[in-house]
Amino acid sequence: MQKKALRKRLWKNKIFYLFVLPALLIITIFKYYPFLTSIYQSGFRWNGANVHMFIGLENYKELMGDKAFWTSIFNIIKICIGTIVINLTFPFLAAEVVTNLKGARKQNFFKMGFIVPMVVPGMVVTLLWKWILAGDYGVLNMLLRAIGLESLTKPWLATSSTALWAILAINFPWIAGLPFLLYLAGKQSISGDLYEAAELEGAGTLQKIRYIDLPLLSSQRKLVVTYMLIQAFQMFDQPFVLTSGGPGMSTLTPALHIYQRAFNYNQFGYSAAIGVVLFLVVVCVTIVNQKLLKESENMG
Amino acid sequence: MKSKKVTLEVVVSVIAAILLFVTFYPFFMLLCGSLKDKMQLIENPWFFDLPMHFGNYRVAGSQILWPLFNSLVITAGGILLTLAISGLAAYAIAHSDMPGKSIIYFYIISLLMVPGFVILIPQFLVVRDMNLFNTYLGQILPPTANNVAMGVMLMTSFFKAIPSSITESAKVEGCGSVRLFGRIILPLSKPIMATVAITTGLNLWNNYMWPLIITNGQKVVPVIVAITRITASISEGDGPLFAGYVIAALPILVLFSFASKQFIEGITAGAVKG
């Protein structure tokens, strides 16, 4: 009887199954299927064409001893931490500055000013900073020379001790980005009564930021941390275009490592293995991140 | 007390102005630089300089006009496909009692948190084996899988918020599922459609890694890849390159000036993807 009812419900909804079919198809073909084949292919020595030999866990063993892999992991940890620190401070301060201006028109002018650069394509920004950070005729070096700090000039992207930090410096002062919008939206949602009450108690601007905004914007900060972590972990464009991972391996990221192994060395099986390991890393980081954020919530 | 407030306002305004200046100045220099030749770039990168070399834009244009068209095709195609596929799926999930719909929803959105590069290689091989290497479709379909997942997530919650009294009364009057979707749900959903369209569009326009590996030569290369390959003569220097960067940024800036509110919502919606 129940079976019959279920069948009836299935039949009644047949049109809706047709509606979800395209979504299921495209996600299965371009997400799930490659995902599963990457696990399968990670067991092969494979050049993407004629050489295709099952080697079990050999790729994973090689990976554990692959110095480039560990360097890329170490680099991406630095990039993630740097990105998170940058985005928890600069855009927040800018949002505070803008919202503390008097007058709606003045506020809107500055808000828009910081929002417009967000829609400039990331690659344009990267290429613009390639010029700023370049060696002899880089803008930064010319600026240093102009103010008499010639001794500090260096080819920022071609020096292994500075290349990674130079990439992180792109987009300085790092305001024009999603975090700025999130902080702004967060501040708008804080009731004006709170600020008035604080003013009656004699609180100044800094105290209002310290005792009202900082605690009440914690959910925005969590979103910023999660979002920036995911963004930073995938970094590919900047090192690919600016340094090709160099000098040495100083700016090699996991995404770039996967790319190079597959398309420069034709090691498709090995590349797939890196992908599988990184997937596990992402899952672990996500779980730990969620746990940490939840705990900080419990603590207030 | 009053004078203290005034000085504070002055200090805050000055800080805001400095931050805005530092944010904008590199872009201003790019604009100036796009009109210079090699010697001008070396001698005076800071400001506009005469004579202005508008020819830089001709040199850049001849190399990236076709890629600009390619980007337009890819972005427009991807937006339409994403809206159609995710709109239908979200409607079915939000407004039907079909068995298994929560499993379907979970299946669609659960790979969203996997970064694209993790499956880069097998995805490349799938598209190659479908004979879609170096085609528009090969650049549209894989990112669309991602955008559909996000679109379904955003649209499902939006559709669920449409009161069922509206849909029920339409059903009572004999409105079928397809007509209900076209006549009632879609017209009510313009805001969320705009948000998904903008997020999808920005993703597709700005994408670099995927077109880098799935295209070859000039035929279907998008502008974001093409601007990394602009060449100029020695005397022209980097001027034409800068002109190319300006051209690549213009279409989105123009669109933004017409629909800044929708753009801001679209950019913010990208955060929930994480």
Side-chain angles (χ1 to χ4, degrees):
Chain A
M1 198 57 201
Q2 248 187 354
K3 244 188 183 168
K4 210 176 161 193
L6 179 68
R7 208 175 300 153
K8 217 176 141 194
R9 233 172 89 208
L10 282 170
W11 184 246
K12 195 188 89 191
N13 282 302
K14 57 185 185 303
I15 184 90
F16 290 114
Y17 288 104
L18 208 62
F19 282 4
V20 293
L21 189 65
L24 291 179
L25 272 180
I26 196 166
I27 282 169
T28 305
I29 295 171
F30 295 106
K31 294 284 276 186
Y32 280 95
Y33 176 71
F35 182 61
L36 294 175
T37 49
S38 74
I39 297 172
Y40 171 75
Q41 297 294 1
S42 71
F44 287 84
R45 170 160 296 134
W46 188 27
N47 64 1
N50 52 349
V51 179
H52 198 228
M53 187 173 77
F54 183 73
I55 52 170
L57 293 175
E58 276 305 308
N59 282 329
Y60 290 95
K61 268 190 210 154
E62 193 187 329
L63 186 61
M64 289 302 115
D66 180 357
K67 201 167 160 259
F69 172 72
W70 292 108
T71 308
S72 76
I73 294 287
F74 188 58
N75 287 341
I76 208 68
I77 291 174
K78 284 197 238 174
I79 291 169
C80 285
I81 293 174
T83 308
I84 288 172
V85 170
I86 284 169
N87 283 290
L88 283 179
T89 50
F90 282 80
F92 172 71
L93 291 176
E96 286 294 349
V97 167
V98 169
T99 50
N100 273 301
L101 289 166
K102 297 272 178 303
R105 278 184 64 185
K106 202 165 161 192
Q107 282 201 10
N108 272 334
F109 169 77
F110 280 99
K111 271 182 207 167
M112 268 321 198
F114 289 121
I115 290 171
V116 169
M118 285 182 212
V119 292
V120 174
M123 183 51 72
V124 170
V125 175
T126 300
L127 292 168
L128 165 58
W129 280 78
K130 184 181 184 181
W131 176 35
I132 295 176
L133 296 165
D136 283 347
Y137 300 116
V139 173
L140 178 59
N141 284 338
M142 284 202 238
L143 181 69
L144 288 171
R145 247 176 262 137
I147 58 175
L149 292 171
E150 175 120 35
S151 58
L152 290 180
T153 60
K154 54 169 67 94
W156 301 95
L157 288 165
T159 309
S160 57
S161 60
T162 57
L164 190 77
W165 308 113
I167 286 178
L168 275 175
I170 289 175
N171 230 349
F172 176 85
W174 309 293
I175 293 166
L178 179 66
F180 178 71
L181 284 179
L182 293 175
Y183 295 130
L184 273 188
K187 269 213 79 168
Q188 258 153 19
S189 68
I190 297 175
S191 152
D193 298 349
L194 272 177
Y195 294 114
E196 272 170 36
E199 265 167 49
L200 282 179
E201 301 277 327
T205 308
L206 290 179
Q207 276 145 331
K208 279 188 268 180
I209 293 172
R210 166 74 184 80
Y211 293 104
I212 298 176
D213 295 347
L214 273 179
L216 287 182
L217 291 180
S218 68
S219 63
Q220 275 75 22
R221 279 201 302 276
K222 280 167 201 168
L223 199 54
V224 167
V225 169
T226 308
Y227 178 76
M228 280 302 151
L229 199 59
I230 294 170
Q231 288 292 307
F233 193 80
Q234 309 195 41
M235 185 184 271
F236 173 85
D237 298 2
Q238 296 88 332
F240 182 83
V241 172
L242 301 177
T243 61
S244 313
M249 294 187 286
S250 57
T251 55
L252 188 68
T253 63
L256 188 55
H257 190 42
I258 287 187
Y259 174 92
Q260 288 180 342
R261 283 297 181 131
F263 297 105
N264 298 352
Y265 299 99
N266 281 325
Q267 297 173 323
F268 282 79
Y270 187 71
S271 247
I274 305 176
V276 172
V277 171
L278 288 173
F279 169 71
L280 295 175
V281 172
V282 170
V283 171
C284 291
V285 169
T286 309
I287 292 171
V288 170
N289 183 37
Q290 296 298 336
K291 266 240 169 75
L292 284 178
L293 292 183
K294 219 173 231 156
E295 250 162 46
S296 69
E297 210 162 282
N298 292 338
M299 272 156 44
Chain B
M1 189 66 194
K2 185 132 196 221
S3 69
K4 205 177 151 194
K5 268 200 166 159
V6 173
T7 33
L8 183 72
E9 173 67 7
V10 171
V11 171
V12 173
S13 303
V14 169
I15 297 175
I18 293 173
L19 287 176
L20 193 63
F21 176 79
V22 178
T23 301
F24 258 93
Y25 197 65
F27 295 104
F28 173 73
M29 277 178 36
L30 181 71
L31 195 63
C32 301
S34 71
L35 296 168
K36 289 175 185 168
D37 63 20
K38 189 177 179 181
M39 279 324 287
Q40 288 172 305
L41 278 172
I42 291 171
E43 279 160 10
N44 173 20
W46 314 109
F47 204 75
F48 282 112
D49 194 26
L50 294 171
M52 294 193 186
H53 296 265
F54 290 97
N56 287 346
Y57 279 85
R58 207 181 48 242
V59 176
S62 69
Q63 295 177 57
I64 66 166
L65 232 41
W66 179 248
L68 204 61
F69 173 74
N70 290 336
S71 283
L72 226 54
V73 172
I74 294 159
T75 307
I79 289 175
L80 289 178
L81 204 60
T82 303
L83 289 183
I85 295 178
S86 41
L88 285 172
Y91 170 58
I93 291 165
H95 282 280
S96 80
D97 62 340
M98 62 172 175
K101 66 177 186 177
S102 50
I103 298 173
I104 291 172
Y105 179 71
F106 187 74
Y107 181 84
I108 291 175
I109 68 160
S110 64
L111 277 188
L112 212 48
M113 57 171 253
V114 180
F117 75 86
V118 167
I119 55 169
L120 183 70
I121 306 310
Q123 214 173 38
F124 166 75
L125 297 166
V126 167
V127 173
R128 192 189 63 178
D129 293 344
M130 291 170 85
N131 285 323
L132 292 177
F133 181 78
N134 216 21
T135 61
Y136 287 135
L137 221 47
Q139 291 179 77
I140 292 173
L141 291 177
T144 297
N146 266 334
N147 293 330
V148 161
M150 189 197 54
V152 166
M153 195 161 88
L154 292 172
M155 287 184 194
T156 302
S157 61
F158 188 91
F159 290 168
K160 274 185 178 159
I162 294 176
S164 55
S165 58
I166 296 178
T167 53
E168 287 308 318
S169 64
K171 269 186 209 157
V172 169
E173 288 179 19
C175 192
S177 301
V178 179
R179 273 189 52 200
L180 184 70
F181 181 64
R183 291 284 169 80
I184 295 178
I185 303 284
L186 276 188
L188 287 174
S189 309
K190 275 179 200 149
I192 195 70
M193 292 290 166
T195 302
V196 174
I198 286 169
T199 319
T200 303
L202 287 175
N203 276 347
L204 284 163
W205 188 275
N206 292 331
N207 199 351
Y208 177 71
M209 180 158 70
W210 183 248
L212 174 74
I213 67 169
I214 207 68
T215 66
N216 192 10
Q218 278 282 96
K219 197 181 89 182
V220 293
V221 74
V223 70
I224 291 300
V225 176
I227 55 172
T228 65
R229 298 173 181 163
I230 300 172
T231 54
S233 70
I234 292 175
S235 65
E236 286 164 343
D238 286 349
L241 278 63
F242 297 162
Y245 306 163
V246 173
I247 296 174
L250 270 182
I252 306 179
L253 283 168
V254 170
L255 284 179
F256 175 82
S257 68
F258 285 114
S260 54
K261 192 170 155 273
Q262 285 81 353
F263 261 87
I264 292 169
E265 262 155 40
I267 297 171
T268 319
V272 301
K273 206 173 66 169

